[in-house]
Amino acid sequence: MHTLTQRESDPPAGYDVVIIGGGLAGLFCALRMAPRSVTVISAAPLGEGASSSWAQGGIAAAMSTGDSIDKHLADTAAAGDGIVDEKIARLMVSDAPDRIYDLLDYGVPFDRDLAGHLAASREAAHSERRIVHVSGDMAGAAIMAALVTAVRKTPSIHFIENYVAEELVRDGGPVGGVIARPAEGGGDRRRFPASAVVMATGGVGHLYAVTTNPREADGDGLGMAARAGAVIADAEFVQFHPTALDVDRDPAPLATEALRGEGATLVNQDGERFMQAIHADAELAPRDIVARAIHRQRAGGGTVYLDCHAAIGASFADRFPTVHRSCRKAGIDPAEELIPVAPAEHYHMGGILTDAAGRSTLDGLWACGEVASTGVHGANRLASNSLLEAVAFAARIATDIVERYPIARRPVAAAPETGTGVEFAEPGADEVRRLRATMARHVGVERDRQGLIQALHTVDELERDCRSPRFLNTLAAARMIAAAALAREESRGGHYRTDHPDHMRAWARRSYLTLPEATRVMAPQPEPA
């Protein structure tokens, strides 16, 4: 049986600030609050189960000669397809250089050129070379390793690993803590009272059958906040990475966009480059355009490959070691052979609505990282802006909480949560597979009204017999995405409706939805297949 564990030395008597999530956003926020006492609740050991650890691209920051904050903002707005909150996006891109220096101070070994300057590369939809990397494609892993080391050395940060948050505590007022349970094997629910709660649980990848995200990214944080009454913004906008390795692995290994940035091309089963006829930037077109092009090739019975032979060739293992290892495990030599690829759920632009300080619509709850929706990504995230958003707003949240509560409130010890009538139950594998298949088929790269209606009815059916608080959170996240996609009768960014394929001026705005509103979507019964 798992037992509650914390830092062995001097654990806190209670919980003043609780951060839910041990990924980049959560750990960076905790470090920025030091020496304020903070407790991090993580569903896996710190740094594991976090999408940030798998990020291959890097962090976007306008730090190179000839680049500027204005250029970075313009690229972000263009990728966001008309609905980026440019005031908040400007704050993010302006913060980027300082956050890079923070990460350097924490020991992140960013690549440098021969002169000792930070080396920067270009990725899709960026007008300049502004992506800072570590060993080519190991930025996420290196950043997380450095932060985990820093966190474990910081006395003010306490951590409870292998515990899953299931419910926010409100008791009719502000958010006042969280109820969590051991990640494996059931166990008692425990209430962790807190003056401030920061949600940093990551994305929604495992709502989908094919994803590049770790298993812990199942939308539980978004669903938990929605069930507590938070407003969810832009839920319909889901980004599918065009080039996940199509090698029958779950999660699907990622073939970083930097490969195409260095000249790798996409070809079909006949060896034809098809992106040149679709977009002026060919393989470096925005991700949604490339993902749909690959999806349509595959839907027509074709196969799509990434050809790295001419652009990268023999230097592949040195320049892109992570992708090289994934390919070799699948029996592919990427320096010589074509790499089969397919679109996979990669990032959610939507999430818990927050302001520039990371505050949600619920008093006492902040959110940062992929679970939040700040408005900086709009309808389609610009490559390598995700890690930037995580650290930029984690820092802003830390400042806001310390300023709001300059003196730590008297802590209250955690206690067993009794009398709630909530039993432990894991969702059955069949139910999980059904949800993931439904989301992939009906709420995926391409959508239509009938499919979205079917998805909502499937969520209804799964909810009726569900006794798992965790799976109820996941189902709530799925409902928010499908309902928002049904409401937006146009196509924009990561949201593409085959029955409404054009932009509509009336929809050039963000969307906002609560769970009761999503539940009240009055959809007719789906027509027989």
Side-chain angles (χ1 to χ4, degrees):
M1 178 67 70
H2 182 93
T3 57
L4 185 81
T5 61
Q6 295 177 307
R7 180 186 299 278
E8 294 298 326
S9 60
D10 192 26
Y15 305 87
D16 179 35
V17 179
V18 168
I19 297 173
I20 308 172
L24 173 60
L27 297 188
F28 195 83
C29 187
L31 286 166
R32 292 282 298 190
M33 265 193 266
R36 181 67 170 269
S37 178
V38 174
T39 298
V40 178
I41 298 177
S42 175
L46 294 184
E48 298 180 21
S51 297
S52 302
S53 296
W54 297 8
Q56 295 178 8
I59 300 185
M63 301 175 72
S64 301
T65 302
D67 201 0
S68 68
I69 297 301
D70 286 340
K71 287 182 180 180
H72 191 176
L73 177 62
D75 291 345
T76 297
D81 209 2
I83 62 168
V84 166
D85 186 323
E86 294 197 22
K87 289 183 179 179
I88 294 184
R90 180 174 287 278
L91 293 176
M92 178 187 75
V93 298
S94 298
D95 286 351
D98 286 342
R99 300 293 78 83
I100 295 295
Y101 290 126
D102 286 340
L103 291 170
L104 287 167
D105 287 342
Y106 290 132
V108 177
F110 287 118
D111 294 343
R112 295 181 181 273
D113 60 23
L114 295 177
H117 304 123
L118 288 173
S121 65
R122 183 185 172 211
E123 292 182 357
H126 285 272
S127 59
E128 300 286 343
R129 299 178 71 89
R130 66 168 67 98
I131 316 303
V132 290
H133 294 271
V134 178
S135 299
D137 62 0
M138 298 181 65
I143 291 169
M144 288 304 300
L147 292 192
V148 168
T149 298
V151 163
R152 293 194 185 278
K153 291 180 177 178
T154 304
S156 61
I157 302 174
H158 307 273
F159 30 88
I160 300 171
E161 299 170 277
N162 301 308
Y163 256 65
V164 175
E166 292 185 343
E167 182 180 348
L168 293 172
V169 176
R170 289 198 69 190
D171 296 332
V175 173
V178 62
I179 296 170
R181 192 197 303 265
E184 300 292 340
D188 294 333
R189 282 160 51 98
R190 297 181 69 90
R191 177 182 290 229
F192 299 88
S195 301
V197 175
V198 180
M199 189 74 76
T201 51
V204 302
H206 275 263
L207 295 180
Y208 290 84
V210 182
T211 178
T212 62
N213 291 180
R215 297 183 186 279
E216 289 78 5
D218 61 2
D220 60 338
L222 186 156
M224 195 188 323
R227 292 179 68 201
V231 173
I232 306 301
D234 302 335
E236 64 269 38
F237 296 114
V238 181
Q239 185 176 88
F240 295 83
H241 198 289
T243 55
L245 271 62
D246 186 19
V247 292
D248 195 28
R249 283 178 55 192
D250 182 25
L254 179 65
T256 175
E257 196 161 71
L259 293 166
R260 285 175 281 134
E262 295 300 316
T265 58
L266 290 166
V267 298
N268 61 22
Q269 69 279 358
D270 298 319
E272 299 170 344
R273 286 183 66 186
F274 53 88
M275 284 306 305
Q276 292 169 311
I278 294 172
H279 194 278
D281 291 334
E283 283 83 2
L284 291 178
R287 283 180 174 175
D288 61 299
I289 294 174
V290 181
R292 282 197 300 275
I294 296 174
H295 172 78
R296 290 171 182 173
Q297 289 277 332
R298 290 168 51 82
T303 306
V304 175
Y305 301 92
L306 194 61
D307 185 352
C308 304
H309 179 261
I312 301 165
S315 65
F316 203 116
D318 293 330
R319 295 172 64 188
F320 299 98
T322 304
V323 183
H324 188 266
R325 282 194 299 271
S326 295
C327 288
R328 295 302 290 172
K329 285 181 180 179
I332 300 166
D333 180 356
E336 299 289 343
E337 299 176 89
L338 298 176
I339 306 171
V341 293
E345 195 287 338
H346 186 59
Y347 191 84
H348 190 206
M349 280 73 74
I352 302 166
L353 176 64
T354 64
D355 63 11
R359 300 174 186 168
S360 77
T361 56
L362 300 181
D363 192 23
L365 178 67
W366 286 255
C368 55
E370 191 172 351
V371 74
S373 181
T374 60
V376 301
H377 302 309
N380 192 29
R381 174 180 65 90
L382 182 66
S384 291
N385 265 357
S386 55
L387 298 187
L388 171 58
E389 183 199 31
V391 295
F393 290 95
R396 288 178 170 272
I397 287 172
T399 299
D400 191 55
I401 290 176
V402 170
E403 289 180 349
R404 183 170 181 175
Y405 303 125
I407 301 175
R409 295 186 179 183
R410 182 178 180 181
V412 180
E417 180 71 3
T418 59
T420 62
V422 177
E423 300 178 2
F424 175 81
E426 289 284 8
D430 289 344
E431 286 77 13
V432 173
R433 277 195 295 268
R434 185 183 179 196
L435 176 64
R436 296 182 71 189
T438 295
M439 293 295 288
R441 180 178 180 184
H442 298 306
V443 201
V445 177
E446 295 188 328
R447 308 152 177 191
D448 63 34
R449 180 176 180 276
Q450 192 58 38
L452 292 166
I453 291 171
Q454 178 64 65
L456 288 167
H457 282 290
T458 297
V459 171
D460 284 339
E461 292 169 5
L462 290 169
E463 279 184 344
R464 286 191 198 113
D465 299 321
C466 181
R467 296 191 306 113
S468 166
R470 298 183 203 174
F471 197 46
L472 284 173
N473 289 335
T474 295
L475 289 169
R479 180 182 295 281
M480 299 303 295
I481 295 169
L486 181 60
R488 184 176 286 272
E489 294 184 335
E490 66 151 2
S491 292
R492 184 181 299 271
H495 168 72
Y496 189 84
R497 290 275 299 262
T498 57
D499 52 348
H500 295 283
D502 300 320
H503 274 58
M504 298 293 290
R505 182 174 298 179
W507 280 103
R509 54 182 170 80
R510 301 181 67 194
S511 67
Y512 308 100
L513 199 63
T514 64
L515 184 57
E517 291 168 344
T519 305
R520 289 195 297 268
V521 171
M522 300 302 293
Q525 290 293 323
E527 298 172 1

